[in-house]
Amino acid sequence: MRHNGRPWIAASTSPRRIHMRETTHSFACHDCGQWEDLRKGDIADRDSKGQIMGGQTVRLIAVHRPDGKRCPGSGQRIVLDMSLATWRQRLKKRGRMRASTIAVSDIDLTIGQQQPSIVCRDCKTWRALEDVLPRTGSDPVWMITPHRNGSGNALCLSSGRHVVLDRDPILWKEALDRQIANQETVDAGSRTRTTVSKRPSPPAPAVLQIAQQRQSQRPAEQARLKLRAHQDLCRSCLAAKYGRGIPCATGTELTATYRTEMTKENQAQPSTKDQAKARAGQWKKVLPAVQLADAQRFPGHLTAQLPEAPMPPRSTLHPEPRH
């Protein structure tokens, strides 16, 4: 891959834009800001200004196309003028942190896991710790794994920072359990009861509404509404409605459907004469029971007889004429 002709960039001038590992490296492109792998380049004896480089390793930024076009930063030459240990030392600009000063919930010292982890103070994410060799002092020293910040354009400021693990894992576990128990107790005490009110049931529809709903569900009524809606939109059918023309084919079909449904509905409903016959038959069936009930309530020998009223005098009924 050919380079882009720009001046070389020394890794020592921007240690937070390069991520060095044992075998592969990546660099944050100055043009698009994306992290791209570094490809093998050549050995640089002299830089672009002719100064002696001393045979330092040169890597090229891989070709990348963030917007569909080749980025101008593709092929940029990066001079690895420092080792992996020096790069990590450059990242360590802050002092050491002690595990005893870190909150119990922000560090993980579980026994049995390969690497402890910690919450980064800058990007607020969990990051693993790498063992720093050779160890110095009684307490082991670990290093926060190099990682990128929230935007991903550069390494986080806490990358490579040393952490002194001066906290016993067993005591840390006990402190964490006590904190969790206390938090659960506080949450249970602050929890308030909520009163759930029952929603009122909707009012029952009126008799008129029920009748209108049943009326609208009739096939004949639906056919009538369709015919009326069509007549409001069709001029031919509207004129034919008042006897001034001939309806269209759709109007004729809707009219026939309406008449058919009305015929079916009239045939399904019994006539007045049939209803009277059915009522007479029902009364004929219950007539003996009604007569028996009347006889038990009013026996023949206990029939009440009203006393006869006295007749008024003759003079009151037919007064004598005066002379």
Side-chain angles (χ1 to χ4, degrees), residues 11-13 15-16 82 85-93:
S12 59
T13 59
R16 296 196 177 275
M82 59 180 176
T86 305
W87 173 72
R88 290 181 175 178
Q89 191 68 22
R90 291 284 183 87
L91 295 179
K92 188 187 63 174
K93 293 183 178 180

Side-chain angles (χ1 to χ4, degrees), residues 106-117:
D106 292 344
I107 190 171
D108 187 7
L109 301 177
T110 305
I111 301 176
Q113 62 179 355
Q114 296 180 356
Q115 292 178 319
S117 56

